[in-house]
Amino acid sequence: MATSVDAPVNAAARLEYDPLNPVVKHEPYPYYTELRANEPVKWLPSLQAYGVARYDDVKALLSDGRLFSSSMFWPALLGEYDPVPEVPPMISMDPPGHVHLRKLANKAFVPAKIKALMERTREVAHELIDDIIAKHGTEGEIDWTWDFCSLYPVTVIAQVLGVPLARRAEFKVWVDNLLSAANRAAYDEERLAVIRESSDKVRRFFEDLYDERAANLQDDLISDFIQAEIGGERMTRLEVIQMSILLLIGGVETTTNLLGTTLIELHRHPETYARVRKDPSLIPALLEEVLRYNPPVQIIFRHTMADTELGGVHIPAGSTVMPLLASANRDETKFANPEVFDIDRKIEVPLMSFGQGPHFCLGSYLSRMEAKSALEIAFERFEVLEPVSDEVEWLDSYFARGPHHLKVRFKVR
Ligand code: HEM
């Protein structure tokens, strides 16, 4: 059902897309529309990179891991704050090395393994809601972002990995600090020292955990990684540690943001909210539409290995290219009325929200399952769960999208 549209693009005043402009970060969608129409491959001086806005171009470049290399992903994101600089994580590897690690890691993420986790994710959601009630009573106001959305995925992934629950808040702080390294050029020494400390702590933590598990295997992911074998080859100690850190980084903020944005879209589309409340079987369709319409990862990065051409634009070897995933999801040649939030739409092509091609998100089943369980339980336990304001303070990021804070009124049943 079509319920509302974003503000239309002002055709008279051409919008200049600069991902670092605060106005763009707050509401990038009109700029993506303009790019798709007029400048689908655009040089972005502020980031010294080419932005790619149309679905077909995004898909083509993500499918070609040899020409559009991932090798600069981690260095661009973390730079000298990479906790394990000796080995790249698979998200920053190209074929054939990537394929080998991916096969090993895949074993831990097959749908049957994720299904087995479902009961535990439901318990985590109940426990967090119990904590909210213990702290705030049966009605009042909470920060949905911190009190639920942030703690939930980090608790799930900590458990999957085999990390003691008592350390989950520390974990969340490490991940946030590591991710903030993307803005390191703008930080002073004090802030950089905090990132350094988190980077060192996360490494030490996983070194110790690896050694404990290697001596005494358990039923957790680190133990699975230690034992996983393909063609007689296993992951090295540092590869297991780097993989664990990648999962921590990849699995925490993304799912947190998906849950935060979902509540915002429900608030903006009250008819949809009423329908989903009445019929929780609509939750998966709701999540797919949030993933399309306002995805947690807006942009990723590639690096050209040779001169090439995309959308009629010449791109020299050694350039940074940024597929604008969130723009591809609103490409009018692939999605009917793309600016309309519509949980009944028939999605006929793959969304770009989890990427595409060899690096397609390893956690897509897990995050969909986690988000579904969380919403089912939140709607079951809260009679009221409603943002108090129409204004949203989005994260100050051009590639991650989700609310920084989201004050909501709640009342338990
Ligand atoms: C809504 C939630 C999520 C979103 C939107 C998301 C998005 C993405 C995207 C766009 C990529 C592709 C990166 C690229 O091509 O360079 C990716 C890769 C990846 N994601 Fe996710 N992700 C989510 C949840 C998770 C979770 C829960 C985990 C793990 C626990 C995870 C682990 C990974 C890993 C390991 C990769 C790298 C795969 C590879 O290099 O082969 N993600 N994700």
Side-chain angles (χ1 to χ4, degrees), residues 118-130 144 148 152 259 277 280 283 369-383 385 412-413:
M118 192 148 74
E119 222 15 71
R120 190 56 205 123
T121 61
R122 297 180 68 84
E123 283 166 19
V124 171
H126 275 297
E127 285 159 15
L128 286 172
I129 293 173
D130 291 342
W144 174 245
F148 190 85
Y152 175 70
L259 285 170
R277 279 282 186 168
I283 288 174
M369 185 276 279
E370 276 184 80
K372 174 171 173 285
S373 296
L375 292 179
E376 282 170 0
I377 286 160
F379 295 161
E380 189 183 302
R381 305 232 7 222
F382 292 120
E383 187 185 323
L385 189 68
V412 298
R413 279 188 204 282

Side-chain angles (χ1 to χ4, degrees), residues 62 70 73 90-92 98 102 109 157 246-247 250-251 254-255 258 291 296-297 300-302 325 352-356 358-364 366-367 370:
L62 289 180
S70 288
F73 197 121
M90 69 173 171
I91 203 167
S92 208
H98 169 257
R102 171 96 189 190
F109 281 86
I157 195 71
L246 171 64
L247 295 180
T254 46
T255 310
L258 174 61
L291 281 164
V297 180
I300 50 182
F301 307 91
R302 293 292 187 267
L325 306 179
M352 288 295 138
S353 321
F354 291 107
Q356 198 52 220
H359 290 276
F360 182 78
C361 177
L362 194 65
S364 65
L366 175 62
S367 58
E370 276 184 80

Side-chain angles (χ1 to χ4, degrees), residues 36-310:
R36 284 192 309 276
N38 295 314
E39 236 179 330
V41 177
K42 179 179 169 58
W43 172 247
L44 304 168
S46 66
L47 290 174
Q48 295 286 296
Y50 291 87
V52 178
R54 285 187 185 156
Y55 185 98
D56 284 336
D57 290 336
V58 166
K59 187 167 178 228
L61 87 87
L62 289 180
S63 304
D64 187 347
R66 287 183 192 273
L67 181 55
F68 295 95
S69 162
S70 288
S71 60
M72 297 308 286
F73 197 121
W74 223 233
L77 190 70
L78 297 180
E80 64 272 37
Y81 299 96
D82 179 352
V84 192
E86 300 91 332
V87 291
M90 69 173 171
I91 203 167
S92 208
M93 288 172 78
D94 294 326
H98 169 257
V99 181
H100 173 66
L101 273 188
R102 171 96 189 190
K103 276 189 185 154
L104 286 165
N106 252 339
K107 290 189 159 189
F109 281 86
V110 290
K113 285 242 175 196
I114 303 304
K115 228 171 151 197
L117 256 176
M118 192 148 74
E119 222 15 71
R120 190 56 205 123
T121 61
R122 297 180 68 84
E123 283 166 19
V124 171
H126 275 297
E127 285 159 15
L128 286 172
I129 293 173
D130 291 342
D131 289 350
I132 289 173
I133 296 169
K135 206 164 136 201
H136 300 273
T138 54
E139 63 184 301
E141 283 183 6
I142 49 169
D143 178 2
W144 174 245
T145 305
W146 174 253
D147 289 311
F148 190 85
C149 303
S150 287
L151 293 177
Y152 175 70
V154 77
T155 308
V156 172
I157 195 71
Q159 294 211 340
V160 172
L161 282 168
V163 170
L165 205 61
R167 305 200 65 172
R168 73 171 178 208
E170 249 177 294
F171 247 62
K172 174 71 185 139
V173 173
W174 294 341
V175 176
D176 288 351
N177 282 334
L178 277 179
L179 277 174
S180 74
N183 301 322
R184 59 196 175 280
Y187 288 155
D188 61 18
E189 291 207 352
E190 205 178 319
R191 182 81 188 89
L192 292 175
V194 172
I195 301 176
R196 174 84 273 148
E197 195 186 344
S198 282
S199 173
D200 293 345
K201 278 190 174 158
V202 85
R203 178 178 177 127
R204 258 198 316 275
F205 177 84
F206 278 110
E207 281 176 344
D208 292 347
L209 194 63
Y210 179 98
D211 294 340
E212 271 171 39
R213 292 297 189 271
N216 184 13
L217 293 169
Q218 305 278 322
D219 182 17
D220 58 33
L221 203 52
I222 303 249
S223 305
D224 286 351
F225 286 151
I226 293 172
Q227 298 169 86
E229 199 180 291
I230 298 231
E233 274 193 71
R234 292 190 175 189
M235 282 189 236
T236 66
R237 178 171 180 267
L238 286 179
E239 280 171 346
V240 170
I241 294 170
Q242 183 66 289
M243 179 73 83
S244 306
I245 294 171
L246 171 64
L247 295 180
L248 192 59
I249 292 184
V252 170
E253 180 157 316
T254 46
T255 310
T256 295
N257 290 338
L258 174 61
L259 285 170
T261 303
T262 298
L263 201 59
I264 291 168
E265 295 304 345
L266 287 173
H267 179 65
R268 288 175 169 178
H269 303 94
E271 276 173 56
T272 303
Y273 200 177
R275 284 180 63 205
V276 174
R277 279 282 186 168
K278 240 170 111 185
D279 180 4
S281 73
L282 295 173
I283 288 174
L286 165 71
L287 287 168
E288 288 313 291
E289 184 60 350
V290 176
L291 281 164
R292 183 193 71 84
Y293 186 78
N294 208 349
V297 180
Q298 297 268 306
I299 294 174
I300 50 182
F301 307 91
R302 293 292 187 267
H303 191 74
T304 49
M305 300 303 283
D307 283 9
T308 185
E309 205 187 280
L310 204 57

Side-chain angles (χ1 to χ4, degrees), residues 334-355:
K334 305 291 170 188
F335 302 94
N337 301 318
E339 309 295 330
V340 176
F341 183 80
D342 175 6
I343 67 167
D344 298 319
R345 75 169 55 247
K346 297 277 164 284
I347 296 182
E348 279 158 3
V349 293
L351 299 179
M352 288 295 138
S353 321
F354 291 107

